[in-house]
Structure formats: C-alpha cells, structure tokens
Amino acid sequence: MKIKFSIRAGVVCPLPWLLSFATAAWAGIDMPTLDTVEVEAAADLLGVAGSASEGSVGASQLARRPLLRAAEVLETVPGLVVSQHSGDGKANQYYLRGFNLDHGTDFATWLVGMPLNLPTHAHGQGYTDLNFLIPELVSVVRYRKGPYAVDEGDFAAAGAAHIDYRRRLAQPFVQVEAARHDYRRLLAAGSGPVAEGGPTLLGAVELARNDGPWSEPEGLRRANGVVRLSSGSASHGWSLTAMAYTSRWSATDQVPRRAVDAGGLGRFGSLDPSSGGTTRRASLSGEWAHGDATGRSRASAYLVDYRLDLFSNFTYALDNPLRGDQFEQVDRRQIGGGAGSRTWFADWAGRPLALTLGGDLRHDRIGQVGLFLSEARRRYAGVRSDRVDQTRAGVFGEVQVQWSPRLRGVAGLRADQYRFAVSSDTAQNSGERDAFLAAPKLGLVLGPWAQTELYANYGHGFHSNDARGTTIRVNPDPRSPEFGQPVAPVRPLVRARGAELGLRSVLAPGWTNTVVLWRLDLASELLFVGDAGITEPSRPSRRQGLEWRHDWLVAAGIGVDADLAVSSARFRDGEAAGSRVPGAVAAVASAGASFDAGGRWFGGFRVRYVGSRPLVEDNSVRSAPSTLTNLKVGYRLDRQITLSLDVLNLFDRKVSDIDYYYESQLKTEAAPVADIHSHPAEPRTLRLGVRVAL
C-alpha cells in the first residue's frame, strides 16, 4: 500500500498522519507507514509547524555561509546574534528577542541529544560553550522561539535549538584553512560501514590555532574529535556518539573607552595579558528512535565530563590597586541524564489525535565550583568554593487534535522537580533546597487558506537559578563592604509567560514569509552573580516585539533570505532608576544570498545589523549600532579539490562586538570611573581553505 500527500498543496490526509506530522517533522521522524509514505515536506512548513517562529536549517545552507566562529551556526536562527567579549575558548555571548542572554541563560541548546547549557556554572548560569562544534558535520539545526514546547524545560524561555550531526559523509576529506595572525585549522573526516550491511562509523578530528588581531597574542590551541556509530536514520534507527575536546587561550577582555581615547591603549590592547583559560570536555551519548503505524518512540542518554579554569579581570585595579582585580573561576563536573517519549496515534470521534507522554532526568555532580582571587593566574585568596549535587526530573504530556480540515490544536503540560544540595566552604551557605514548577502550553493553527496559516501560542517556561544562590545566607566575598553580612537566598526557578500570534504565507513556490507578534514576561527574582559569588536583585520585566522572515528560492541552488526583529524590553516595577533593560537589543536585521547550482562556483554573502541598545536603566548611555558583512566564495577545481575564500568583516568596519557600562579603575587612577567598556569586532580577515576529497 502506498500513501502520498503534499504538504505544500495543503491536502489533509486521512487518519492521524497529518496531525502527527508536526511533531514528527520537528523530531526528524518519518511518518509511520504500511509500506511507503512519500512526503513533499517543503521548507515553508505549511501544515507542519506548530508556530510561526519555528524552523530548520540544513547542511547545504550552512556550507555556503561564511563563519567567523563555530557558534555562529546559531545565527541561522532569525534574530539571534552571536558575539564575544573575551577569548575564543570562552563561551560566546548571545542576544535574542530583547534578551542579552549572557552565555545562554534563556536559550536552550542541544547537540546530538545532549543538553549543552550548564546550570550552577562557575562563570554564568546556563553557560553554553559551542567552541567544540564542528560546522562541517552539522546536518540540521531545528529551532523554536518562546516557551511553547513540552519537551523543552530549563533555559528555553526565549527559545531553543537542536543541532544534529551527520551520520555519514558522501566522501572522506581533509580540509586545511589559513589566515594571518597565525590562524591555522585542520579538519579530517570520513565515514563507512563497519561491515557489509552493518552500522556506519563516522570519525572526525579538528586541530586549530589562532593568535587573533590582539596586541597580546591569543595563543589559542584547540583539539577536537568525534566518533559516531549509527544505523538507520534519526527517525528510525540509533546512534552512539563519543566526543572529546580541549582548548587553552589567552584572552583580551573588554577595555575601557577612556584608555583607548587617551591613546595609551589600542583598540585591540589588553590591560591584563594573563587573562584566559583552559577547558576540556568529553562525552558519550546515544539516541534511539522507532516508528510504526501505531505510534513512535524515542530515547536518549548521555554522560559528560567537563572542566574549566577561567581567569578574568574586568575592573583592573578597583578592588586591589596593588595586585589587580583578576579572579579565577573553576568548574569540575560530571553530568548524566536521559530522555524518552512515546506517541500514540488514535482516532477520537472521527478526529485524528496524537497523544505524547515523556520525561527526562539529569544529574550534575559538581565536584568543585569556585571563585578565587588571582594575580597573573596565581591564586592567592578564595571567595568561595562549593560542591553541588543538582538533580532535575521532568515529565510532560501533549495532545494534538485535528479538529477540522483547517483547524488543529495542541495542549500540553510540563512539570519539573529540582533538588539542590550545596556543600560550601562557608558553613552557613551549605544546605539543601527543593523546587517544583508546572508549565502549561497551548497552540492553535488555522488554515491553510491560499497557502497561508495563522498561529496562536501561549505557554509558561522558566530558567533555574544557580544552586549556590538557593542556599546562601551570608556574603562570602572579602572584596565587598558587606562581607559576612546576611543575604537573601534566591527562588530556585524563575517563571516566564509567553504568547505570540503569527502568520506563515507561501506567496509562490519557494517564496515564504512569516510574521510574528510576541510577548514574554519574566518574574521578579534574585539572581546569583558568579563573578562575585553573591546574589543581587533583579526586577520584573516585559519583552515584546515584531519579527519578519523572508525566504526566496530564486532558482535551483540560488537563495535569498532576510529577517528583521524589533523588540522592546522594559522593567515593570516603576523604579526611579529607569525602565530600560541594560543590553537589550531593540533591532536586529540580517540578509543574505547564496548560490550553488552544482557547478564549479559556489558562495554566500551575509550582512548583519545590530541596533543601538541601552547600557543603563535610565537610557542615558547607549551603545553604537553595528553592521558587519561577510563573504564566502568557493571553486571546485575537480571532483576532489575545492578551494574557498572567506572574507570576514568585508568592509573592515571598526565597531564593537559588545559594550558594557560600569565602574573600573586603572592603576594610574586614584578613584573609580564609570565608563563604556568595549570588545572590538575583529578587523577584515581573509581565510583561505582547501578541501581534498579522498
């Protein structure tokens, strides 16, 4: 028996096939069949998506995209900005929907089924280091925005991305890249069956070094490896993936504008050349999926060993004019967890129905998370050092119903239980804490009419706070005037409430537009500040905005895309300090074109605009906007050899990657000075690459 339907044509197929297709498409699961199902699953996602703000990006699109950093793979999420204020071994800074997400607090990221956000991290809650990502191995990036998915819990209030690696390569290859400032990168990868008709083994090794444009050479050294054994596909098969990564670097952190303006420090200069760090990560993860005519099942599990030693100095000589203000942050942990779900297909009074039940479990055994005072990477005093056991168990359920040929709905509920156990070197700050949060999710899709669908979504989400903040009782920071004084513990879980209305329209084959109007409210909570080892108050906030996305397949192998995100982020408590949320970007726009018709030439062109943003609550100090343009051109000499040239910051714009406003003190200054501190975007860089297929 053969069943065929076209999503692009908007034909509603019988039984629960179309209803379950939305979840199946997101998870990479083929529709269950009796013999064969042929699906024309167009990129426009009509009849598939549960919201206007979700989507996916494939390997072919990434291959034509010029990238400065591996984490810029996430810039395929419309409106998301990836930046950096330190060295390239440290996690990037992320911006989305009016959030300065820091290093990942409200954006959840998964790779091959493993969650990457690290709770109770030495440097920042939800720390997401993507420097070990190998872009050439990425098969797909699936993204959602807003807290509307039941299978996404902690850190997914603003959105989430699920990244998967390839299971096989068309050919083994060796790729070499080179640029000035001693940039070198070697990537070797290949795959093949273990035995005739057996599973496929994929392997990749990456080695990289870079000094960067900085006055103090970065000295980045990175080694990275992946081994993946798999059978079948992501929708019906299994995989076992092992990864190992290590990196060391010297960092040029943000510097005060007054020092640059006075001529005593260059734009790429450093006030503490001993800043930087080392990190390493090893993981083993597995995924399994199965589907048939009655439903589908998925399961995953992972083990991770992680460590970080990070040395930073953001205020120079403010706290200690003699020894300087450098501090060390230490993180040592092992992580274990897994997830599973089962979906049943059914018929309810003639209406196709899909019921999903699932759960996930994660335990972080943090052997040490610490903050120490240091000078030239030598520790001389401690602020706090803790051992933490943090456990999260989540369960979720969801029902999807096709109420009529042009109306489908989703209702779901997620519940999470947390347990925090902290053993601190300050006895008063030790303790245990439990927390529970239930989050409802609702969605409605109308259409398609004239190749157009309307979406309405509502949901609750959350992010967890640092476990150390949940049990804190006294200030442990000897640099603080309040040292030893009582402090209030934080509420462990911070609730978010989101809603959006959206439209997705296919104006012509290959020509898709989406428009989204959204709002997200965050509760007033206390936050734990890893750089200080204490808590500080936060205020209730509301973010709302409008997003537009345009995709146009001009011809085979030629595509154009553009997106615009405008948002407003405001505190809601009316405090006299002001209502602006510092660091919240009000406007982000990007556009690009790519071509690869299968001939000798291919390439891509991208321009990204990041608007001005307030740096203080009263909006009296703002950052400057920035525009960066990148270009990629490739040429296939023959079937084996491909040349490529990436021109990054094509027009050599002298703009900032990131700006902050706070007090610091240089060693030549007698008192603190409030100033803008900036980290510059890298100057125009040409990277030449050669790939040889073996």
Side-chain angles (χ1 to χ4, degrees):
M1 180 178 179
K2 192 176 196 180
I3 302 172
K4 182 176 181 179
F5 60 89
S6 170
I7 297 299
R8 186 183 296 278
V11 176
V12 179
C13 57
L15 301 177
W17 308 109
L18 178 58
L19 174 63
S20 60
F21 193 88
T23 304
W26 172 262
I29 298 175
D30 296 329
M31 294 296 297
T33 69
L34 297 180
D35 276 333
T36 305
V37 172
E38 296 181 10
V39 181
E40 184 189 331
D44 53 56
L45 296 179
L46 284 181
V48 176
S51 72
S53 57
E54 68 179 65
S56 65
V57 177
S60 60
Q61 295 162 283
L62 287 171
R64 302 189 292 269
R65 195 178 186 101
L67 300 175
L68 174 65
R69 309 177 180 98
E72 289 180 4
V73 165
L74 285 183
E75 288 198 351
T76 58
V77 179
L80 193 149
V81 175
V82 177
S83 186
Q84 181 59 275
H85 74 100
S86 187
D88 284 333
K90 185 178 178 180
N92 294 96
Q93 201 94 0
Y94 308 100
Y95 298 85
L96 179 70
R97 285 196 163 183
F99 281 89
N100 177 347
L101 297 165
D102 194 40
H103 298 288
T105 303
D106 284 291
F107 189 83
T109 307
W110 281 262
L111 176 63
V112 296
M114 286 187 300
L116 299 185
N117 300 71
L118 297 179
T120 310
H121 188 268
H123 184 68
Q125 181 70 349
Y127 187 87
T128 306
D129 184 358
L130 281 171
N131 288 302
F132 69 97
L133 186 71
I134 301 178
E136 291 85 352
L137 296 187
V138 174
S139 61
V140 66
V141 179
R142 298 184 178 91
Y143 60 85
R144 294 180 177 128
K145 298 181 191 176
Y148 313 125
V150 294
D151 59 338
E152 295 166 353
D154 202 357
F155 305 120
H162 298 252
I163 305 171
D164 199 9
Y165 273 169
R166 299 171 184 261
R167 294 178 175 235
R168 59 190 60 84
L169 299 171
Q171 291 176 296
F173 67 87
V174 174
Q175 180 172 310
V176 178
E177 298 174 8
R180 62 176 180 164
H181 306 305
D182 200 30
Y183 173 85
R184 304 289 186 271
R185 180 174 181 255
L186 169 68
L187 174 63
S191 67
V194 175
E196 185 73 25
T200 300
L201 182 65
L202 180 148
V205 175
E206 179 196 40
L207 301 174
R209 61 184 294 160
N210 188 22
D211 284 341
W214 320 109
S215 299
E216 296 292 335
E218 185 173 14
L220 175 73
R221 301 293 184 268
R222 182 174 74 236
N224 198 7
V226 177
V227 176
R228 192 173 209 195
L229 184 68
S230 64
S231 178
S233 65
S235 60
H236 196 95
W238 58 268
S239 69
L240 187 65
T241 307
M243 291 187 275
Y245 161 76
T246 182
S247 181
R248 59 182 172 88
W249 69 97
S250 295
T252 294
D253 294 327
Q254 66 266 18
V255 295
R257 184 166 295 178
R258 63 187 183 276
V260 177
D261 292 344
L265 185 70
R267 289 184 68 241
F268 301 101
S270 173
L271 290 172
D272 190 340
S274 64
S275 294
T278 61
T279 188
R280 75 182 192 197
R281 174 190 177 97
S283 66
L284 179 66
S285 63
E287 295 181 283
W288 170 85
H290 175 77
D292 57 30
T294 64
R296 61 179 176 271
S297 302
R298 295 184 68 86
S300 63
Y302 52 88
L303 293 170
V304 181
D305 182 80
Y306 169 84
R307 63 172 51 207
L308 171 74
D309 289 275
L310 182 65
F311 297 87
S312 307
N313 187 347
F314 303 137
T315 54
Y316 321 118
L318 176 67
D319 296 318
N320 192 327
L322 294 178
R323 308 190 76 163
D325 293 353
Q326 187 183 89
F327 57 90
E328 177 190 8
Q329 291 166 309
V330 175
D331 198 299
R332 308 276 189 274
R333 73 176 68 202
Q334 291 81 42
I335 309 165
S341 65
R342 171 67 183 174
T343 299
W344 293 268
F345 305 136
D347 185 89
W348 178 45
R351 299 180 180 92
L353 177 147
L355 171 65
T356 299
L357 297 176
D360 47 59
L361 179 68
R362 172 174 173 166
H363 179 75
D364 286 66
R365 183 181 181 274
I366 307 173
Q368 184 184 26
V369 55
L371 175 62
F372 306 92
L373 306 183
S374 60
E375 181 181 11
R377 297 201 187 191
R378 293 189 176 184
R379 188 185 303 174
Y380 66 85
V383 176
R384 68 178 297 169
S385 181
D386 304 84
R387 295 192 308 273
V388 179
D389 283 284
Q390 179 168 328
T391 305
R392 175 188 57 78
V395 294
F396 55 85
E398 180 182 83
V399 177
Q400 300 185 51
V401 181
Q402 187 80 41
W403 295 101
S404 74
R406 305 207 185 274
L407 175 64
R408 50 191 167 99
V410 182
L413 180 67
R414 181 181 177 91
D416 287 273
Q417 178 69 42
Y418 278 74
R419 182 164 184 79
F420 307 93
V422 179
S423 177
S424 178
D425 59 353
T426 301
Q428 300 98 309
N429 290 333
S430 298
E432 296 182 354
R433 190 85 180 265
D434 294 310
F436 174 82
L437 187 143
K441 322 276 186 176
L442 296 171
L444 199 63
V445 183
L446 301 173
W449 289 282
Q451 294 296 89
T452 299
E453 283 187 333
L454 303 175
Y455 306 85
N457 300 91
Y458 174 82
H460 290 203
F462 71 97
H463 72 247
S464 61
N465 254 320
D466 192 299
R468 294 170 292 174
T470 69
T471 62
I472 194 170
R473 292 293 183 273
V474 298
N475 187 328
D477 189 355
R479 301 166 297 179
S480 171
E482 289 80 31
F483 173 59
Q485 298 299 308
V487 295
V490 306
R491 182 178 296 179
L493 305 179
V494 180
R495 183 180 294 273
R497 294 177 175 86
E500 67 178 54
L501 297 173
L503 176 148
R504 188 187 307 269
S505 183
V506 182
L507 304 177
W511 188 8
T512 304
N513 280 270
T514 60
V515 179
V516 180
L517 183 66
W518 61 272
R519 172 178 286 182
L520 187 67
D521 291 344
L522 281 181
S524 175
E525 302 294 341
L526 294 174
L527 300 176
F528 184 86
V529 182
D531 292 352
I534 60 170
T535 60
E536 70 177 19
S538 179
R539 300 160 58 188
S541 64
R542 168 168 290 171
R543 291 167 173 83
Q544 53 194 0
L546 178 68
E547 296 173 336
W548 168 73
R549 171 74 177 182
H550 168 87
D551 288 283
W552 182 24
L553 184 61
V554 180
I558 302 175
V560 175
D561 67 85
D563 58 78
L564 172 66
V566 180
S567 62
S568 167
R570 300 288 188 272
F571 292 118
R572 295 184 290 137
D573 55 4
E575 282 192 12
S579 63
R580 300 300 182 98
V581 178
V585 180
V588 175
S590 69
S594 64
F595 67 95
D596 188 355
R600 291 188 179 274
W601 290 97
F602 65 92
F605 174 87
R606 298 211 63 82
V607 57
R608 186 197 73 186
Y609 169 83
V610 178
S612 175
R613 52 200 178 276
L615 300 181
V616 292
E617 288 88 342
D618 65 3
N619 201 32
S620 60
V621 182
R622 297 183 62 87
S623 70
S626 66
T627 302
L628 291 175
T629 305
N630 295 330
L631 173 69
K632 184 183 191 74
V633 178
Y635 183 76
R636 299 180 178 97
L637 290 176
D638 52 35
R639 292 182 180 273
Q640 277 71 47
I641 301 175
T642 301
L643 305 179
S644 64
L645 176 66
D646 287 20
V647 186
L648 306 166
N649 192 0
L650 176 65
F651 299 113
D652 201 24
R653 299 293 298 273
K654 293 177 174 58
V655 296
S656 295
D657 250 355
I658 202 163
D659 295 304
Y660 302 100
Y661 186 80
Y662 58 85
E663 285 190 343
S664 63
Q665 185 173 333
L666 306 178
K667 288 188 175 182
T668 57
E669 295 173 332
V673 178
D675 197 3
I676 294 177
H677 298 71
S678 301
H679 190 265
E682 296 194 21
R684 180 169 49 228
T685 301
L686 279 67
R687 288 183 181 173
L688 179 65
V690 180
R691 175 183 288 203
V692 179
L694 304 176

